[in-house]
Amino acid sequence: MTSAASWRMQGDILELCSCNITCPCNYGGDPTKLPCEAILGFRIQEGSYGNTSLGGVNFVIYAQIPGKVFDGGWTLGVFLDERASQEQVEALGTILSGQAGGWFEPFSGLIGNPLPPKQVPINFESVDGEFRITIPGVLEAGSERIPNPIPGQPPLDTTVNDMVVPFFTESVHVRRSTTLKLTDPDMNFEYVGQSANISHFEYSGP
């Protein structure tokens, strides 16, 4: 049942996965390898759940997707910022589980194997216009512009819109991963030079 509390949050998002550039899952296609293994990192700049402020909190979703995105059956876990208060943890848990409405509500139906949430130190930083996320001993993730195949030309800064997935609410800058390394007991994978996207998000509910 959807919670009566209203909520909103906006900030930066980094998506990286095992697919080739650019991930066909974002357009309703088949992953380039099975399962598709991905992380979505969020840096909340402003936000609230009822009277609880969410600004300044980071979180990371990590997942294995066995086929097309909307066929479901995801194995999914969430890392929550260790700086978050108990009230913020509870608020984000309600939002991300879909109980507070917004796009997380239908999204929650895609998860076949939810993993227990974990509260960890998450560093989400901007470096020369790119995003980098680190969780010591657990996650290293970063983006870079795609090199131009034409000699002497600058790296590509391709921008796209209207992806079928609801993660991005503004134009998306297509990138490639400098590193994507997850070493968690519940899930681990490592990729370099695969699909990456950076953008801004703005969500609300119910």
Side-chain angles (χ1 to χ4, degrees):
M1 180 179 295
T2 299
S3 168
S6 63
W7 63 275
R8 65 178 184 85
M9 56 183 176
Q10 63 179 22
D12 299 310
I13 178 172
L14 168 65
E15 178 204 51
L16 305 102
C17 75
S18 55
C19 286
N20 296 337
I21 305 166
T22 179
C23 174
C25 303
N26 288 322
Y27 306 93
D30 294 318
T32 55
K33 69 175 289 294
L34 293 175
C36 179
E37 298 177 309
I39 70 105
L40 289 159
F42 300 82
R43 175 170 57 185
I44 304 175
Q45 295 174 340
E46 298 179 17
S48 61
Y49 175 82
N51 295 322
T52 300
S53 173
L54 299 176
V57 176
N58 303 319
F59 66 95
V60 175
I61 294 172
Y62 57 103
Q64 287 183 334
I65 305 169
K68 288 187 177 180
V69 167
F70 295 102
D71 287 345
W74 295 30
T75 297
L76 182 141
V78 179
F79 296 120
L80 298 172
D81 202 324
E82 72 168 4
R83 299 172 301 166
S85 66
Q86 185 60 37
E87 290 78 12
Q88 290 172 322
V89 168
E90 291 176 359
L92 284 171
T94 302
I95 292 170
L96 298 179
S97 67
Q99 298 175 68
W103 73 263
F104 289 103
E105 185 171 8
F107 173 78
S108 65
L110 301 174
I111 303 168
N113 180 28
L115 302 174
K118 301 173 183 179
Q119 202 165 355
V120 296
I122 303 173
N123 184 34
F124 190 132
E125 58 185 335
S126 300
V127 181
D128 296 328
E130 300 301 318
F131 294 159
R132 184 166 61 196
I133 301 173
T134 54
I135 300 173
V138 177
L139 176 66
E140 299 175 23
S143 67
E144 67 178 358
R145 292 189 179 188
I146 303 167
N148 197 314
I150 301 174
Q153 296 301 307
L156 302 177
D157 190 12
T158 303
T159 302
V160 299
N161 294 284
D162 299 325
M163 288 185 176
V164 69
V165 295
F167 312 138
F168 311 103
T169 53
E170 291 188 4
S171 296
V172 178
H173 300 284
V174 178
R175 296 293 193 260
R176 74 175 185 180
S177 59
T178 54
T179 182
L180 173 55
K181 183 179 182 181
L182 177 67
T183 53
D184 183 83
D186 293 320
M187 189 183 303
N188 62 86
F189 48 77
E190 183 172 1
Y191 301 98
V192 176
Q194 298 300 99
S195 179
N197 294 296
I198 63 175
S199 187
H200 189 78
F201 70 88
E202 185 169 356
Y203 310 142
S204 62

